[in-house]
Amino acid sequence: MTEQRETLIVMPGSSLQGEVGTQGRLSLPGDKSISHRAALFAALAEGESEIDNFLVSGVTSAMLNALTRIGVKWEIVGELLRIDGIGFGNSGREASKLSESLLINCGNSATTLRLLAGALAAMGIPAILDGTAGLKRRPMDRIIKPLNQMGVAIEATNGCAPLHLKQSAMPLQAIDYMLKVASAQVKSCILIAALAANGKTTLREPGQSRDHTERMLRSMGITVISKTELLQDDRDCYITQVNTKPPVSLNPLKMKIPGDFSAAAFLVVAGLICPGSKVTIRGVGLNPTRTGLLDALDRMGADLRIDNMVELNDELIGDIYIQSSNLRGIEVNGSLVVRMIDEFPIFAVAASYAKGRTVVSEARELRYKESDRISSLCRELKIIGATVSEKPDGFIIDGGENLRGGRVEPHGDHRLAMALTVAGLNAQRPVSVVDPDIISESFPEFYTIMEGLGANLRIEYRDSNNEA
Ligand code: S3P
């Protein structure tokens, strides 16, 4: 018996036209990273927070469900999230009494697991943090080691979830810690735990990862120092510091979340590779620690323009104007890799349509994302006709021809599913993406927006062995 699988069929040949705004049917969802932080930090604050344009999706539901498990009350009305903070202080300790070794399911969301581990350590709440098979393959030793140094006991199997977090003696210990790989999730986990430590915690990173945690904590009344120092080998070292004396209290949030740059990235590349396209995306988060893809596309010759830049709740936002362009291959390495860490699946699609060679190096970290993004990306792009080869720390693409089309698997990775959909928009034959439902982990409105711009997509149920 053949299995029927949901399949997204991408019919090539449309040009994309129109505007994605900040309200209404075609509106960009709120930023995933900022939504996670806003929900968690509001829960740790004293008083009621109101967060507008909150991303309602698979991964953020994992965070909200986890907050419910530790006794936090919240409600969502449209895109407005209201949260009653329980604080680090007395009310937080009360919650911990109710919740002896709570089992918390973090779903598919490493951000939920890693940030929550820091928060639970700071609140002294013992818990078991678990999730999907995909989450269980993500490395957690990177948070276990520094949390151990802070006095938090954690048991894990081979450095992966489930993590058994024990109740720790308060206050935690302040640490001076060098991250092996630049990571905002690790930095955020430790910064949150550091709010329950006595003294100065210093985190050093070999590249500047996204700084939403630092910005949001500042807006909630915490002094967070960020600076750069030169290492002996002349490389930059990014330093983040907090100096605390518990009990710490966070002011509640009243904020609007910017549109998600990492969601906009799919629409940007779609507009660039489909001939005759003209697309505007408004209200996009343009925090410079996130916008490496724009720099890469600019070097590839993309016709992109940014306008109406303003600051919204300590984050930059603006509008992006896109016109279809003839792209050329480039090299990507160094600090640019960190600034576009989530954009490699869609960048690889741009590189497949660009003339000449694109070489990505120093990006081994891609192997530890929602899928091993070096191997899954190379494998699936090859199936639809790209000339691509895998390197231990990146990939090489010789682009310029329209991709052939075919049937691809997203490997349980929402960004791979969206990138492959975009790849099909200018292919010679349809691209069929199986199990596309994974897209709703981060961008549930993806189909509606793509169709609204003119993409020809349809969902079918196909036999698992049926070619596109
Ligand atoms: C995120 C940080 C990045 C990114 C992830 C979200 C965050 O992970 O890949 O999608 O919200 O802090 P790393 O910090 O592990 O690089």
Side-chain angles (χ1 to χ4, degrees), residues 124-156:
I125 300 182
I128 300 169
L129 301 180
D130 207 354
T132 60
L135 185 65
K136 282 190 171 97
R137 58 160 279 283
R138 313 278 299 269
M140 294 299 156
D141 41 355
R142 46 183 73 188
I143 58 164
I144 295 174
K145 213 170 142 209
L147 284 173
N148 283 165
Q149 286 185 18
M150 298 179 87
V152 183
I154 300 176
E155 276 170 22

PDB file of all heavy atoms in Angstrom, residues 124-156:
ATOM      1  N   GLY A 124      14.867  28.846  39.959  1.00  0.00           N
ATOM      2  CA  GLY A 124      15.036  27.697  40.855  1.00  0.00           C
ATOM      3  C   GLY A 124      13.948  26.657  40.664  1.00  0.00           C
ATOM      4  O   GLY A 124      13.554  25.981  41.609  1.00  0.00           O
ATOM      5  N   ILE A 125      13.430  26.517  39.442  1.00  0.00           N
ATOM      6  CA  ILE A 125      12.366  25.540  39.180  1.00  0.00           C
ATOM      7  C   ILE A 125      12.972  24.270  38.572  1.00  0.00           C
ATOM      8  O   ILE A 125      13.550  24.317  37.490  1.00  0.00           O
ATOM      9  CB  ILE A 125      11.296  26.114  38.209  1.00  0.00           C
ATOM     10  CG1 ILE A 125      10.656  27.363  38.814  1.00  0.00           C
ATOM     11  CG2 ILE A 125      10.250  25.067  37.870  1.00  0.00           C
ATOM     12  CD1 ILE A 125       9.548  27.985  37.963  1.00  0.00           C
ATOM     13  N   PRO A 126      12.844  23.111  39.264  1.00  0.00           N
ATOM     14  CA  PRO A 126      13.363  21.872  38.683  1.00  0.00           C
ATOM     15  C   PRO A 126      12.432  21.397  37.578  1.00  0.00           C
ATOM     16  O   PRO A 126      11.211  21.484  37.708  1.00  0.00           O
ATOM     17  CB  PRO A 126      13.361  20.888  39.855  1.00  0.00           C
ATOM     18  CG  PRO A 126      12.375  21.423  40.826  1.00  0.00           C
ATOM     19  CD  PRO A 126      12.207  22.898  40.581  1.00  0.00           C
ATOM     20  N   ALA A 127      12.979  20.908  36.459  1.00  0.00           N
ATOM     21  CA  ALA A 127      12.119  20.499  35.342  1.00  0.00           C
ATOM     22  C   ALA A 127      12.854  19.546  34.418  1.00  0.00           C
ATOM     23  O   ALA A 127      14.083  19.475  34.427  1.00  0.00           O
ATOM     24  CB  ALA A 127      11.685  21.729  34.544  1.00  0.00           C
ATOM     25  N   ILE A 128      12.067  18.830  33.619  1.00  0.00           N
ATOM     26  CA  ILE A 128      12.633  18.003  32.552  1.00  0.00           C
ATOM     27  C   ILE A 128      12.202  18.648  31.241  1.00  0.00           C
ATOM     28  O   ILE A 128      11.012  18.803  30.978  1.00  0.00           O
ATOM     29  CB  ILE A 128      12.095  16.556  32.636  1.00  0.00           C
ATOM     30  CG1 ILE A 128      12.474  15.952  33.998  1.00  0.00           C
ATOM     31  CG2 ILE A 128      12.650  15.708  31.498  1.00  0.00           C
ATOM     32  CD1 ILE A 128      11.776  14.642  34.302  1.00  0.00           C
ATOM     33  N   LEU A 129      13.183  19.057  30.454  1.00  0.00           N
ATOM     34  CA  LEU A 129      12.889  19.736  29.182  1.00  0.00           C
ATOM     35  C   LEU A 129      13.098  18.756  28.035  1.00  0.00           C
ATOM     36  O   LEU A 129      14.196  18.238  27.851  1.00  0.00           O
ATOM     37  CB  LEU A 129      13.806  20.953  29.005  1.00  0.00           C
ATOM     38  CG  LEU A 129      13.710  22.006  30.104  1.00  0.00           C
ATOM     39  CD1 LEU A 129      14.669  23.161  29.831  1.00  0.00           C
ATOM     40  CD2 LEU A 129      12.294  22.533  30.207  1.00  0.00           C
ATOM     41  N   ASP A 130      12.012  18.515  27.293  1.00  0.00           N
ATOM     42  CA  ASP A 130      12.070  17.510  26.227  1.00  0.00           C
ATOM     43  C   ASP A 130      11.439  18.070  24.953  1.00  0.00           C
ATOM     44  O   ASP A 130      10.960  19.216  24.959  1.00  0.00           O
ATOM     45  CB  ASP A 130      11.329  16.250  26.701  1.00  0.00           C
ATOM     46  CG  ASP A 130      11.852  14.999  26.021  1.00  0.00           C
ATOM     47  OD1 ASP A 130      12.696  15.112  25.118  1.00  0.00           O
ATOM     48  OD2 ASP A 130      11.393  13.895  26.394  1.00  0.00           O
ATOM     49  N   GLY A 131      11.419  17.296  23.884  1.00  0.00           N
ATOM     50  CA  GLY A 131      10.818  17.783  22.643  1.00  0.00           C
ATOM     51  C   GLY A 131      10.778  16.704  21.586  1.00  0.00           C
ATOM     52  O   GLY A 131      10.906  15.512  21.882  1.00  0.00           O
ATOM     53  N   THR A 132      10.623  17.116  20.323  1.00  0.00           N
ATOM     54  CA  THR A 132      10.500  16.180  19.203  1.00  0.00           C
ATOM     55  C   THR A 132      11.843  15.481  18.930  1.00  0.00           C
ATOM     56  O   THR A 132      12.893  15.906  19.436  1.00  0.00           O
ATOM     57  CB  THR A 132      10.122  16.941  17.916  1.00  0.00           C
ATOM     58  OG1 THR A 132      11.170  17.891  17.655  1.00  0.00           O
ATOM     59  CG2 THR A 132       8.803  17.665  18.024  1.00  0.00           C
ATOM     60  N   ALA A 133      11.800  14.465  18.061  1.00  0.00           N
ATOM     61  CA  ALA A 133      13.036  13.770  17.693  1.00  0.00           C
ATOM     62  C   ALA A 133      14.023  14.768  17.084  1.00  0.00           C
ATOM     63  O   ALA A 133      15.234  14.693  17.314  1.00  0.00           O
ATOM     64  CB  ALA A 133      12.713  12.661  16.698  1.00  0.00           C
ATOM     65  N   GLY A 134      13.501  15.717  16.298  1.00  0.00           N
ATOM     66  CA  GLY A 134      14.368  16.738  15.677  1.00  0.00           C
ATOM     67  C   GLY A 134      15.071  17.572  16.743  1.00  0.00           C
ATOM     68  O   GLY A 134      16.272  17.881  16.621  1.00  0.00           O
ATOM     69  N   LEU A 135      14.357  17.937  17.783  1.00  0.00           N
ATOM     70  CA  LEU A 135      14.960  18.761  18.846  1.00  0.00           C
ATOM     71  C   LEU A 135      16.001  17.947  19.623  1.00  0.00           C
ATOM     72  O   LEU A 135      17.036  18.477  20.038  1.00  0.00           O
ATOM     73  CB  LEU A 135      13.870  19.277  19.802  1.00  0.00           C
ATOM     74  CG  LEU A 135      14.365  20.246  20.873  1.00  0.00           C
ATOM     75  CD1 LEU A 135      14.887  21.536  20.246  1.00  0.00           C
ATOM     76  CD2 LEU A 135      13.275  20.578  21.872  1.00  0.00           C
ATOM     77  N   LYS A 136      15.734  16.643  19.757  1.00  0.00           N
ATOM     78  CA  LYS A 136      16.640  15.781  20.544  1.00  0.00           C
ATOM     79  C   LYS A 136      18.008  15.618  19.888  1.00  0.00           C
ATOM     80  O   LYS A 136      18.943  15.152  20.512  1.00  0.00           O
ATOM     81  CB  LYS A 136      16.009  14.396  20.737  1.00  0.00           C
ATOM     82  CG  LYS A 136      14.937  14.361  21.801  1.00  0.00           C
ATOM     83  CD  LYS A 136      14.583  12.907  22.061  1.00  0.00           C
ATOM     84  CE  LYS A 136      13.678  12.724  23.242  1.00  0.00           C
ATOM     85  NZ  LYS A 136      12.264  12.609  22.892  1.00  0.00           N
ATOM     86  N   ARG A 137      18.131  15.958  18.576  1.00  0.00           N
ATOM     87  CA  ARG A 137      19.462  15.846  17.947  1.00  0.00           C
ATOM     88  C   ARG A 137      20.246  17.160  18.006  1.00  0.00           C
ATOM     89  O   ARG A 137      21.396  17.216  17.602  1.00  0.00           O
ATOM     90  CB  ARG A 137      19.386  15.284  16.525  1.00  0.00           C
ATOM     91  CG  ARG A 137      18.527  16.035  15.534  1.00  0.00           C
ATOM     92  CD  ARG A 137      18.868  15.724  14.087  1.00  0.00           C
ATOM     93  NE  ARG A 137      20.018  16.477  13.631  1.00  0.00           N
ATOM     94  CZ  ARG A 137      20.027  17.776  13.290  1.00  0.00           C
ATOM     95  NH1 ARG A 137      18.939  18.499  13.353  1.00  0.00           N
ATOM     96  NH2 ARG A 137      21.125  18.364  12.887  1.00  0.00           N
ATOM     97  N   ARG A 138      19.652  18.213  18.576  1.00  0.00           N
ATOM     98  CA  ARG A 138      20.342  19.509  18.641  1.00  0.00           C
ATOM     99  C   ARG A 138      21.291  19.524  19.859  1.00  0.00           C
ATOM    100  O   ARG A 138      20.920  19.074  20.946  1.00  0.00           O
ATOM    101  CB  ARG A 138      19.323  20.666  18.775  1.00  0.00           C
ATOM    102  CG  ARG A 138      18.147  20.606  17.805  1.00  0.00           C
ATOM    103  CD  ARG A 138      18.450  21.152  16.449  1.00  0.00           C
ATOM    104  NE  ARG A 138      18.835  22.544  16.406  1.00  0.00           N
ATOM    105  CZ  ARG A 138      18.004  23.560  16.244  1.00  0.00           C
ATOM    106  NH1 ARG A 138      16.707  23.339  16.157  1.00  0.00           N
ATOM    107  NH2 ARG A 138      18.461  24.801  16.163  1.00  0.00           N
ATOM    108  N   PRO A 139      22.498  20.083  19.711  1.00  0.00           N
ATOM    109  CA  PRO A 139      23.464  20.046  20.825  1.00  0.00           C
ATOM    110  C   PRO A 139      23.056  20.965  21.979  1.00  0.00           C
ATOM    111  O   PRO A 139      22.780  22.140  21.765  1.00  0.00           O
ATOM    112  CB  PRO A 139      24.756  20.539  20.173  1.00  0.00           C
ATOM    113  CG  PRO A 139      24.336  21.278  18.957  1.00  0.00           C
ATOM    114  CD  PRO A 139      23.027  20.726  18.513  1.00  0.00           C
ATOM    115  N   MET A 140      23.022  20.395  23.190  1.00  0.00           N
ATOM    116  CA  MET A 140      22.650  21.167  24.373  1.00  0.00           C
ATOM    117  C   MET A 140      23.832  21.324  25.338  1.00  0.00           C
ATOM    118  O   MET A 140      23.746  22.054  26.316  1.00  0.00           O
ATOM    119  CB  MET A 140      21.475  20.500  25.108  1.00  0.00           C
ATOM    120  CG  MET A 140      20.198  20.515  24.293  1.00  0.00           C
ATOM    121  SD  MET A 140      19.664  22.216  23.936  1.00  0.00           S
ATOM    122  CE  MET A 140      18.671  21.968  22.471  1.00  0.00           C
ATOM    123  N   ASP A 141      24.958  20.632  25.022  1.00  0.00           N
ATOM    124  CA  ASP A 141      26.134  20.769  25.888  1.00  0.00           C
ATOM    125  C   ASP A 141      26.585  22.232  25.943  1.00  0.00           C
ATOM    126  O   ASP A 141      27.153  22.688  26.934  1.00  0.00           O
ATOM    127  CB  ASP A 141      27.272  19.851  25.425  1.00  0.00           C
ATOM    128  CG  ASP A 141      27.419  19.831  23.917  1.00  0.00           C
ATOM    129  OD1 ASP A 141      26.572  20.458  23.224  1.00  0.00           O
ATOM    130  OD2 ASP A 141      28.369  19.214  23.408  1.00  0.00           O
ATOM    131  N   ARG A 142      26.267  22.984  24.898  1.00  0.00           N
ATOM    132  CA  ARG A 142      26.665  24.398  24.854  1.00  0.00           C
ATOM    133  C   ARG A 142      25.962  25.247  25.915  1.00  0.00           C
ATOM    134  O   ARG A 142      26.454  26.308  26.268  1.00  0.00           O
ATOM    135  CB  ARG A 142      26.454  24.967  23.443  1.00  0.00           C
ATOM    136  CG  ARG A 142      25.140  24.630  22.826  1.00  0.00           C
ATOM    137  CD  ARG A 142      24.988  25.137  21.408  1.00  0.00           C
ATOM    138  NE  ARG A 142      25.763  24.428  20.416  1.00  0.00           N
ATOM    139  CZ  ARG A 142      25.892  24.795  19.156  1.00  0.00           C
ATOM    140  NH1 ARG A 142      25.284  25.878  18.718  1.00  0.00           N
ATOM    141  NH2 ARG A 142      26.603  24.103  18.315  1.00  0.00           N
ATOM    142  N   ILE A 143      24.780  24.795  26.408  1.00  0.00           N
ATOM    143  CA  ILE A 143      24.191  25.520  27.553  1.00  0.00           C
ATOM    144  C   ILE A 143      24.466  24.789  28.870  1.00  0.00           C
ATOM    145  O   ILE A 143      24.543  25.404  29.926  1.00  0.00           O
ATOM    146  CB  ILE A 143      22.670  25.806  27.407  1.00  0.00           C
ATOM    147  CG1 ILE A 143      21.867  24.521  27.226  1.00  0.00           C
ATOM    148  CG2 ILE A 143      22.392  26.811  26.291  1.00  0.00           C
ATOM    149  CD1 ILE A 143      20.366  24.715  27.465  1.00  0.00           C
ATOM    150  N   ILE A 144      24.642  23.454  28.787  1.00  0.00           N
ATOM    151  CA  ILE A 144      24.833  22.674  30.018  1.00  0.00           C
ATOM    152  C   ILE A 144      26.130  23.103  30.710  1.00  0.00           C
ATOM    153  O   ILE A 144      26.162  23.330  31.927  1.00  0.00           O
ATOM    154  CB  ILE A 144      24.867  21.157  29.709  1.00  0.00           C
ATOM    155  CG1 ILE A 144      23.500  20.702  29.182  1.00  0.00           C
ATOM    156  CG2 ILE A 144      25.275  20.360  30.944  1.00  0.00           C
ATOM    157  CD1 ILE A 144      23.439  19.265  28.711  1.00  0.00           C
ATOM    158  N   LYS A 145      27.212  23.267  29.917  1.00  0.00           N
ATOM    159  CA  LYS A 145      28.527  23.570  30.501  1.00  0.00           C
ATOM    160  C   LYS A 145      28.526  24.906  31.269  1.00  0.00           C
ATOM    161  O   LYS A 145      28.853  24.935  32.453  1.00  0.00           O
ATOM    162  CB  LYS A 145      29.579  23.577  29.382  1.00  0.00           C
ATOM    163  CG  LYS A 145      30.906  23.092  29.856  1.00  0.00           C
ATOM    164  CD  LYS A 145      31.853  22.879  28.705  1.00  0.00           C
ATOM    165  CE  LYS A 145      33.216  23.332  29.191  1.00  0.00           C
ATOM    166  NZ  LYS A 145      34.066  23.823  28.148  1.00  0.00           N
ATOM    167  N   PRO A 146      28.104  26.006  30.633  1.00  0.00           N
ATOM    168  CA  PRO A 146      28.105  27.262  31.398  1.00  0.00           C
ATOM    169  C   PRO A 146      27.100  27.262  32.554  1.00  0.00           C
ATOM    170  O   PRO A 146      27.387  27.810  33.624  1.00  0.00           O
ATOM    171  CB  PRO A 146      27.757  28.336  30.359  1.00  0.00           C
ATOM    172  CG  PRO A 146      27.208  27.609  29.179  1.00  0.00           C
ATOM    173  CD  PRO A 146      27.794  26.238  29.208  1.00  0.00           C
ATOM    174  N   LEU A 147      25.935  26.609  32.373  1.00  0.00           N
ATOM    175  CA  LEU A 147      24.968  26.574  33.483  1.00  0.00           C
ATOM    176  C   LEU A 147      25.556  25.789  34.664  1.00  0.00           C
ATOM    177  O   LEU A 147      25.398  26.177  35.819  1.00  0.00           O
ATOM    178  CB  LEU A 147      23.626  25.967  33.041  1.00  0.00           C
ATOM    179  CG  LEU A 147      22.712  26.880  32.199  1.00  0.00           C
ATOM    180  CD1 LEU A 147      21.491  26.107  31.691  1.00  0.00           C
ATOM    181  CD2 LEU A 147      22.250  28.120  32.977  1.00  0.00           C
ATOM    182  N   ASN A 148      26.260  24.679  34.364  1.00  0.00           N
ATOM    183  CA  ASN A 148      26.949  23.922  35.431  1.00  0.00           C
ATOM    184  C   ASN A 148      27.893  24.829  36.190  1.00  0.00           C
ATOM    185  O   ASN A 148      27.927  24.829  37.419  1.00  0.00           O
ATOM    186  CB  ASN A 148      27.758  22.760  34.852  1.00  0.00           C
ATOM    187  CG  ASN A 148      26.918  21.565  34.450  1.00  0.00           C
ATOM    188  OD1 ASN A 148      27.370  20.688  33.734  1.00  0.00           O
ATOM    189  ND2 ASN A 148      25.679  21.515  34.911  1.00  0.00           N
ATOM    190  N   GLN A 149      28.667  25.635  35.447  1.00  0.00           N
ATOM    191  CA  GLN A 149      29.631  26.539  36.107  1.00  0.00           C
ATOM    192  C   GLN A 149      28.926  27.551  37.003  1.00  0.00           C
ATOM    193  O   GLN A 149      29.489  28.057  37.954  1.00  0.00           O
ATOM    194  CB  GLN A 149      30.469  27.282  35.068  1.00  0.00           C
ATOM    195  CG  GLN A 149      31.498  26.387  34.418  1.00  0.00           C
ATOM    196  CD  GLN A 149      32.409  27.145  33.462  1.00  0.00           C
ATOM    197  OE1 GLN A 149      32.512  28.360  33.502  1.00  0.00           O
ATOM    198  NE2 GLN A 149      33.062  26.425  32.573  1.00  0.00           N
ATOM    199  N   MET A 150      27.674  27.854  36.672  1.00  0.00           N
ATOM    200  CA  MET A 150      26.914  28.810  37.492  1.00  0.00           C
ATOM    201  C   MET A 150      26.288  28.140  38.714  1.00  0.00           C
ATOM    202  O   MET A 150      25.616  28.789  39.514  1.00  0.00           O
ATOM    203  CB  MET A 150      25.812  29.473  36.648  1.00  0.00           C
ATOM    204  CG  MET A 150      26.360  30.260  35.485  1.00  0.00           C
ATOM    205  SD  MET A 150      25.062  31.005  34.490  1.00  0.00           S
ATOM    206  CE  MET A 150      24.823  32.548  35.383  1.00  0.00           C
ATOM    207  N   GLY A 151      26.452  26.800  38.804  1.00  0.00           N
ATOM    208  CA  GLY A 151      25.928  26.075  39.967  1.00  0.00           C
ATOM    209  C   GLY A 151      24.615  25.372  39.686  1.00  0.00           C
ATOM    210  O   GLY A 151      23.909  24.978  40.615  1.00  0.00           O
ATOM    211  N   VAL A 152      24.259  25.215  38.409  1.00  0.00           N
ATOM    212  CA  VAL A 152      23.001  24.540  38.058  1.00  0.00           C
ATOM    213  C   VAL A 152      23.323  23.102  37.647  1.00  0.00           C
ATOM    214  O   VAL A 152      24.086  22.881  36.701  1.00  0.00           O
ATOM    215  CB  VAL A 152      22.308  25.257  36.866  1.00  0.00           C
ATOM    216  CG1 VAL A 152      20.969  24.610  36.551  1.00  0.00           C
ATOM    217  CG2 VAL A 152      22.155  26.747  37.142  1.00  0.00           C
ATOM    218  N   ALA A 153      22.752  22.128  38.364  1.00  0.00           N
ATOM    219  CA  ALA A 153      22.999  20.718  38.022  1.00  0.00           C
ATOM    220  C   ALA A 153      22.019  20.288  36.934  1.00  0.00           C
ATOM    221  O   ALA A 153      20.810  20.533  37.044  1.00  0.00           O
ATOM    222  CB  ALA A 153      22.835  19.856  39.263  1.00  0.00           C
ATOM    223  N   ILE A 154      22.567  19.669  35.865  1.00  0.00           N
ATOM    224  CA  ILE A 154      21.714  19.218  34.748  1.00  0.00           C
ATOM    225  C   ILE A 154      22.170  17.829  34.323  1.00  0.00           C
ATOM    226  O   ILE A 154      23.365  17.589  34.171  1.00  0.00           O
ATOM    227  CB  ILE A 154      21.846  20.159  33.524  1.00  0.00           C
ATOM    228  CG1 ILE A 154      21.433  21.579  33.898  1.00  0.00           C
ATOM    229  CG2 ILE A 154      21.028  19.655  32.339  1.00  0.00           C
ATOM    230  CD1 ILE A 154      21.613  22.601  32.785  1.00  0.00           C
ATOM    231  N   GLU A 155      21.206  16.915  34.125  1.00  0.00           N
ATOM    232  CA  GLU A 155      21.561  15.602  33.569  1.00  0.00           C
ATOM    233  C   GLU A 155      21.035  15.519  32.147  1.00  0.00           C
ATOM    234  O   GLU A 155      19.912  15.972  31.877  1.00  0.00           O
ATOM    235  CB  GLU A 155      20.898  14.486  34.377  1.00  0.00           C
ATOM    236  CG  GLU A 155      21.683  14.102  35.604  1.00  0.00           C
ATOM    237  CD  GLU A 155      20.875  13.164  36.495  1.00  0.00           C
ATOM    238  OE1 GLU A 155      19.937  12.505  36.005  1.00  0.00           O
ATOM    239  OE2 GLU A 155      21.201  13.134  37.695  1.00  0.00           O
ATOM    240  N   ALA A 156      21.839  14.946  31.253  1.00  0.00           N
ATOM    241  CA  ALA A 156      21.403  14.795  29.860  1.00  0.00           C
ATOM    242  C   ALA A 156      22.084  13.567  29.286  1.00  0.00           C
ATOM    243  O   ALA A 156      23.066  13.083  29.849  1.00  0.00           O
ATOM    244  CB  ALA A 156      21.800  16.014  29.052  1.00  0.00           C
TER     245      ALA A 156
END
